[in-house]
Amino acid sequence: MNGAVIAKLLALAPTLVLLLSLSGLISAAETAMTAASRGRMHQLEREGDRAARRVNRLIADQENMIGAILLSNNVINIFASALTTSVLTSVFPPGSALGPLIATAIMTVLVVVFSEILPKTLAIARADDVARVLSIPTYWVVKIFGPLARGAQWIVRLTLRPFGIKLDMETDVLAAHEEIRGAVEYHHSEGLVETRDRYMLGGVLDLGEMYVSDVMVHRKSIAMIDADLPPREILAAALESAHTRLPLYRDEPENIVGVLHAKDLLRALAGADGKIDALDVKALVRPPWFIPETTSLKDQLAAFLKRQSHFALVVDEYGALEGLITLEDILEEIVGEIEDEHDVMAPGVRPGPDGSVIVDGAVTIRDLNRAMNWQLPDDEAVTVAGLLIHEARQIPDVGQVFAFHGHEFRVVERKANQLTVLQVSAPEPASD
């Protein structure tokens, strides 16, 4: 090897180190920007962190950022490979394939190890910090190569359009929810999120996917009072009830004419000096608020807050009464059952010694899943009895047993066409 060849290799070395270092920084920026916690970046931005603000701006147009980074990285790697091939080719006799072959082997190792694996490994370990540190270089990379990247994306879309493939970037509203849900499930499986917190966070995410008909009190279970009763009987019925808001009906239970609040009744009773029969109950009744059964829990929660009301009656598309829903019903979907000293404790779910449970047919599937940490589906039915009827395609008789979703369901009690008590076995162990 003569002096000229050595001089060429020595001149190549610092240039190659510089190009590989730039490529490594760009690869680290790509990994860090995509792996950085958006929640933490937004929090840091609110606290005045300029680097976090730059990261958020870059992530906001992620498609253009990734395109610019990939384009710049490829330009650097290709230039480094071409330069190395040119130098090594001149070392060997003309026409020899050893130069390109050795250059390919060397550059493959150098690029993969020092420009891809090493920087990306470091970036993924400290994604938030690396993203903030490299936010300025990344900004200039996007500034320089962004227009070229957009042009390349336009060519790709134009090429794929005749095949019926459209790559327009549209915001996926559910993507953020599913990302959060996946993170919660992962951390729960790792033992970092408690079961109760898992259900609470999942309940918040589910509000937009559930409807008031899924959690409402059915009309058969509504405690209501006949508006034509004497004041003394209305007062007695109100005192016997565990609820503070009671619908009043006239002629038939579905004809709701108003809602009576226990506080209004007691305030009027105090003002009447104890003269119960002199109470004007009609003057105390508040107008009922009717909502459609297709209202989502998220929208209804916002409506409750806007109207500063905690009570609404649910009707179907024909205006027929279906049930009622309160603010507490929605909150219970997040935090679980809320009980006070006036709540009537229903039998609900009674665990058995063999892992099975005796459950009332009216218990919701979500409540059973929460109580037993099960995974019964609630897409097609709201209650446990509804799930059994849906799966069996009939109204089973007492003693009949059905197996589905890894459980056995046995009918314990039935009244007319209503399944009142069921026995549900523990889930079968998952087979390998």
Side-chain angles (χ1 to χ4, degrees), residues 21 26 31 33 79 88 104 176 181 200 246 252 305 328 342 368 372 393 408:
S21 298
I26 294 174
T31 300
M33 291 293 172
F79 178 66
L88 291 180
T104 301
R181 194 189 304 276
M200 288 177 62
L246 296 165
E252 57 182 15
L305 297 176
E328 182 177 311
H342 297 293
L368 179 59
M372 302 303 298
R393 305 300 184 193
E408 283 191 355

Side-chain angles (χ1 to χ4, degrees), residues 206-338:
D206 288 339
L207 291 184
E209 303 173 8
M210 298 182 65
Y211 302 96
V212 294
S213 58
D214 295 331
V215 302
M216 69 181 182
V217 178
H218 193 268
R219 63 174 180 268
K220 293 179 61 177
S221 303
I222 297 178
M224 56 180 67
I225 302 175
D226 188 346
D228 293 328
L229 290 175
R232 186 175 295 274
E233 294 185 28
I234 292 179
L235 175 61
L239 293 176
E240 289 178 2
S241 175
H243 308 289
T244 56
R245 297 171 179 85
L246 296 165
L248 268 62
Y249 69 92
R250 180 168 286 116
D251 299 330
E252 57 182 15
E254 296 217 358
N255 183 28
I256 304 296
V257 296
V259 178
L260 178 63
H261 199 294
K263 284 188 177 180
D264 295 336
L265 184 60
L266 294 176
R267 192 178 294 113
L269 181 63
D273 294 328
K275 298 178 181 178
I276 300 177
D277 295 326
L279 289 176
D280 185 5
V281 178
K282 293 181 180 179
L284 305 176
V285 175
R286 302 184 183 188
W289 177 21
F290 296 100
I291 61 171
E293 62 181 349
T294 54
T295 305
S296 72
L297 292 188
K298 180 181 178 181
D299 292 340
Q300 187 55 40
L301 177 60
F304 275 143
L305 297 176
K306 183 178 180 180
R307 290 184 56 134
Q308 298 182 346
S309 177
H310 296 182
F311 184 97
L313 295 162
V314 183
V315 296
D316 63 13
E317 57 183 320
Y318 302 105
L321 180 67
E322 289 292 315
L324 67 82
I325 187 170
T326 66
L327 178 62
E328 182 177 311
D329 293 328
I330 298 179
L331 295 180
E332 285 180 345
E333 289 302 309
I334 302 174
V335 302
E337 193 69 23
I338 301 174

Side-chain angles (χ1 to χ4, degrees), residues 22 69 177 396:
L22 290 175
I69 287 175
H177 281 193

Side-chain angles (χ1 to χ4, degrees), residues 131-145:
R132 291 170 61 245
V133 170
L134 297 181
S135 60
I136 293 179
T138 306
Y139 169 80
W140 284 108
V141 166
V142 174
K143 195 79 171 176
I144 296 171
F145 291 92

